[in-house]
Amino acid sequence: MLWLLKKTSLYEQKDTDNAFVEKALKGDTEAFCKLVHKYEDQLYCFLYKITFSKEDTEDLCQETFIKAYNNLYKYDNRWAFTTWLYNIAINVSKNHNKKKKYFTCSYDEVPDVQCDLNDLPEIVLEIRYNRKQILKIINSLSFEQKTAVCLRYFHDLAYKEIGHIMKISPDAAKMKVQRAKNTLCEKLDQLIKKGVI
């Protein structure tokens, strides 16, 4: 029953988004603004997990929404609006990354792990340090692997959707996620053996 309710709400959300797109295509800029407000936080979170930089993420979010607005007529309503938006965001990120050759990563900007007030200060510092090391490992992945991992584990997308967003087959998407997991485990194991974590 819960599955049916979730499925119904996804269809309702898709219908609402499609209605906003149709209105925007007819010149209703307020309808597109509603889509921006609806998805700006979600898009920011997605891009931040790729860049680890507030500055880069803000620029990429703005560029993604501008490209989405300018290319709204290309939107295929068989897919969720977010799937199409992520597709644009990935292309924008890829182009940005090629120009800069790197993102301006600042692991200090990443929100701290919530710690219990009863935790000892040295344990809290250790947790924060370990988290930064893990984020550095994730950031060392190739652009495609990092993107696939973010879409799969941070946004809970199916391999079919990931494949559509990344313009690869669902099997290729699954392979990218698996390879990324293997790389993460190997690098994490190396840090543990060295006593870094």
Side-chain angles (χ1 to χ4, degrees), residues 113-131:
V113 177
Q114 294 300 316
C115 299
D116 190 291
L117 292 173
N118 295 324
D119 289 339
L120 296 171
E122 57 269 19
I123 293 173
V124 172
L125 288 173
E126 186 178 339
I127 290 168
R128 288 179 183 164
Y129 173 79
N130 288 347
R131 184 164 190 262

Side-chain angles (χ1 to χ4, degrees), residues 43 45-52 60 82-83 85-95 97 103 137-159 161-168 172-181 184:
L43 181 65
C45 288
F46 170 67
L47 287 168
Y48 191 83
K49 288 170 187 134
I50 292 174
T51 67
F52 292 115
L60 293 174
T82 49
T83 301
L85 197 62
Y86 285 157
N87 191 310
I88 295 169
I90 288 167
N91 289 332
V92 166
S93 301
K94 220 181 265 188
N95 292 336
N97 202 26
F103 285 115
I137 294 172
I138 292 170
N139 198 41
S140 72
L141 293 172
S142 72
F143 182 84
E144 286 77 18
Q145 286 183 345
K146 188 165 35 167
T147 301
V149 165
C150 285
L151 290 170
R152 179 71 181 147
Y153 294 108
F154 297 127
H155 296 279
D156 200 29
L157 296 184
Y159 292 116
E161 285 178 288
I162 296 169
H164 183 72
I165 290 167
M166 297 183 73
K167 296 180 181 167
I168 55 177
K174 190 173 184 179
M175 184 69 74
K176 283 195 185 298
V177 170
Q178 190 57 49
R179 284 184 180 153
K181 280 169 54 178
L184 289 170

Side-chain angles (χ1 to χ4, degrees), residues 28-107:
D28 184 352
T29 53
E30 186 60 34
F32 188 76
C33 286
K34 287 179 182 175
L35 286 169
V36 172
H37 291 306
K38 186 175 181 181
Y39 293 114
E40 61 188 345
D41 290 343
Q42 197 173 334
L43 181 65
Y44 184 92
C45 288
F46 170 67
L47 287 168
Y48 191 83
K49 288 170 187 134
I50 292 174
T51 67
F52 292 115
S53 162
K54 286 181 182 176
E55 184 183 308
D56 287 326
T57 300
E58 286 166 5
D59 290 345
L60 293 174
C61 275
Q62 186 175 5
E63 193 176 340
T64 298
F65 281 120
I66 290 169
K67 282 195 181 292
Y69 183 76
N70 290 335
N71 293 283
L72 205 53
Y73 65 96
K74 295 180 182 177
Y75 169 63
D76 181 350
N77 63 13
R78 291 176 297 170
W79 294 93
F81 185 77
T82 49
T83 301
W84 184 69
L85 197 62
Y86 285 157
N87 191 310
I88 295 169
I90 288 167
N91 289 332
V92 166
S93 301
K94 220 181 265 188
N95 292 336
H96 182 79
N97 202 26
K98 281 178 190 173
K99 286 178 197 168
K100 286 186 75 174
K101 300 289 182 195
Y102 64 92
F103 285 115
T104 315
C105 298
S106 174
Y107 300 102

